[in-house]
Amino acid sequence: MRPRLALLLLLLPACLSAAAAAPDAAAERRLVHLVRQDCGSCHGLTLKGGLGPPLTPAALADKPAEGLAQTILHGRPATPMPPFRGLLDETEAAWIVDRLQRGFPAE
């Protein structure tokens, strides 16, 4: 019985963070709008590339999600990629990366 309890306690934080990763409908609309407009101004309104590289599932397939989230939050020094840390938190950045890697929703 104790090994099961220990396993449950180890898995609990992952379950809680996964549940927190899904924004409510209003937050999701805000994030989709932000990506389509703000990110789209450099990465193309269809996210297929522009000044910045494409943000399509194919283009991001070999990129680690954590690295992409850090790029969103902290930008890329010496490039036009700005940090979005003041507008997004880690959970929102992770949600954006997940959706970009699966195909980003329309507004």
Side-chain angles (χ1 to χ4, degrees):
M1 181 78 168
R2 287 183 190 236
R4 284 186 182 170
L5 179 59
L7 180 60
L8 287 174
L9 290 175
L10 287 172
L11 294 176
L12 184 61
C15 294
L16 292 176
S17 67
D24 64 28
E28 186 173 323
R29 282 191 302 275
R30 179 183 69 82
L31 293 172
V32 169
H33 182 77
L34 179 121
V35 170
R36 289 285 178 192
Q37 297 304 309
D38 292 12
C39 303
S41 66
C42 288
H43 294 278
L45 293 177
T46 60
L47 305 177
K48 293 181 181 173
L51 173 64
L55 299 177
T56 60
L60 301 176
D62 63 340
K63 310 284 189 287
E66 179 60 29
L68 294 170
Q70 291 304 308
T71 295
I72 291 169
L73 293 172
H74 303 291
R76 290 209 169 220
T79 74
M81 177 65 193
F84 282 85
R85 181 71 166 156
L87 299 172
L88 301 169
D89 63 25
E90 289 85 4
T91 302
E92 293 167 325
W95 182 87
I96 289 170
V97 169
D98 177 65
R99 294 309 307 257
L100 287 170
Q101 289 182 319
R102 291 190 295 139
F104 206 75
E107 266 193 280

